[in-house]
Amino acid sequence: MTDSITTDVNRRHDFVLLFDVTDGNPNGDPDAGNLPRVDPETMHGLVTDVSLKRKVRDWVDAARGEGARFKIYVQKGGEALNAKHRRAYDELGLKSSGAKQARGDVDKARAWMCGNFYDIRLFGAVMSTGVNCGQVRGPVQFTFARSLDPVVPLDLSITRVAVTREEDADIVAAEDGSDAAASGKQTEMGRKAIVPYGLYRAHGFFTPHFASQTGVDAVDLALFWQALQMMWDLDRSSSRGLMACRGLYVFSHASTLGDAPAHTLFERVNVEPLSNGQAPRGFGDYEVRVNDGDLPAGITLTRLIGAEKGQG
């Protein structure tokens, strides 16, 4: 549950996000046959910041996409990006002249795009392609998520009883010319890549300086925290397995520029294995310990998901 502190756009916020996957592929790598992404040196699982932002975009689009301020700029299908840029110029009664657009027109178009597209306000965008709406540096950024322990991606064979092509299903004559007939294909083979279990940790940042430039308000920020908690249930598919948010810890600063380095705050959230050398297969195989004692002056810790009581 959000509060007035975590939705204050004049404060800096740094957050820790914990999520896990069971028997699924949290983020396939197209350069590796869509196997789950891993760090090849340590075999820790990886999930890109782009993948996390995609889940946020999809959830906000489903929850509030009909609202005037909550359209999604980067989404699958629909209008091309340049067509959206052109719409800004049309709505403002301006004429686009490509990359050499007047600075004042670009500023107006950029403000219109920020006012209408939620993901531009939060994550930023490069909109100088073709129809120039400038560039926006978003106040919300993620790191890659990394699994707490090494994972072993499995590439499993699967079969399907339905055949795709008609000619593959036809009865064909035996090659030896006998009266016997050989059947066509009865099944087709496929593959599915999964991680048996992985608990992943990502870090994120909200910078008020950029929020003031894009027009992010308390409603936007509350929606973002809600998305991080609920987006996993919208992103269900046969390849995802079971994914869930296991922890969301927000360190809010009293000031705009911040009152402590982010990395020192992140170090207060410790996740330790309880499996005694055995491969973890569930969230219960870990213990999350949050040191909320003697927080730096100006820092407030809010557990949006996680234990109610911190442990030193």
Side-chain angles (χ1 to χ4, degrees), residues 13-36:
H13 305 283
D14 303 311
F15 60 92
V16 177
L17 173 66
L18 300 177
F19 62 91
D20 64 359
V21 57
T22 304
D23 295 331
N25 186 351
N27 186 203
D29 185 350
D31 290 328
N34 208 45
L35 285 170

Side-chain angles (χ1 to χ4, degrees), residues 103-296:
R103 176 64 180 272
D105 291 348
V106 173
D107 291 344
K108 292 176 183 177
R110 179 171 56 243
W112 188 92
M113 296 294 286
C114 287
N116 283 272
F117 292 98
Y118 178 84
D119 53 336
I120 294 178
R121 286 199 302 280
L122 252 68
F123 303 141
V126 176
M127 301 177 291
S128 53
T129 56
V131 181
N132 190 358
C133 288
Q135 299 184 25
V136 175
R137 188 170 181 181
V140 174
Q141 299 300 333
F142 290 96
T143 65
F144 275 33
R146 177 179 289 267
S147 66
L148 276 297
D149 283 299
V151 297
V152 180
L154 302 181
D155 190 19
L156 307 176
S157 297
I158 57 175
T159 60
R160 185 179 66 188
V161 297
V163 177
T164 302
R165 301 189 306 170
E166 294 174 335
E167 55 268 31
D168 289 339
D170 290 342
I171 301 292
V172 297
E175 293 182 359
D176 60 6
S178 66
D179 293 335
S183 297
K185 291 174 64 175
Q186 300 297 313
T187 61
E188 289 192 343
M189 301 293 293
R191 309 203 66 81
K192 178 169 286 191
I194 67 167
V195 169
Y197 182 78
L199 177 61
Y200 291 75
R201 174 173 177 154
H203 301 127
F205 317 90
F206 175 83
T207 306
H209 174 68
F210 300 126
S212 65
Q213 297 176 7
T214 66
V216 170
D217 60 18
V219 174
D220 293 332
L221 200 47
L223 191 61
F224 174 69
W225 300 129
Q226 190 177 12
L228 290 184
Q229 298 171 66
M230 303 182 67
M231 64 191 187
W232 316 94
D233 289 314
L234 183 67
D235 191 41
R236 301 296 185 196
S237 73
S238 62
S239 65
R240 287 285 182 256
L242 179 60
M243 296 186 69
C245 183
R246 295 297 190 171
L248 180 54
Y249 306 90
V250 183
F251 294 92
S252 300
H253 302 246
S255 66
T256 299
L257 295 179
D259 301 291
H263 72 276
T264 63
L265 302 176
F266 295 153
E267 289 169 355
R268 291 174 171 270
V269 180
N270 296 291
V271 185
E272 299 294 337
L274 299 175
S275 51
N276 298 320
Q278 300 296 315
R281 286 296 182 264
F283 185 62
D285 293 332
Y286 291 92
E287 180 182 19
V288 180
R289 300 178 63 86
V290 181
N291 179 9
D292 58 1
D294 298 322
L295 287 170

Side-chain angles (χ1 to χ4, degrees), residues 73 75-81 83-84 87:
Y73 174 69
Q75 61 180 336
K76 183 178 180 179
E79 278 185 304
L81 298 183
K84 296 176 182 178
R87 197 190 330 154

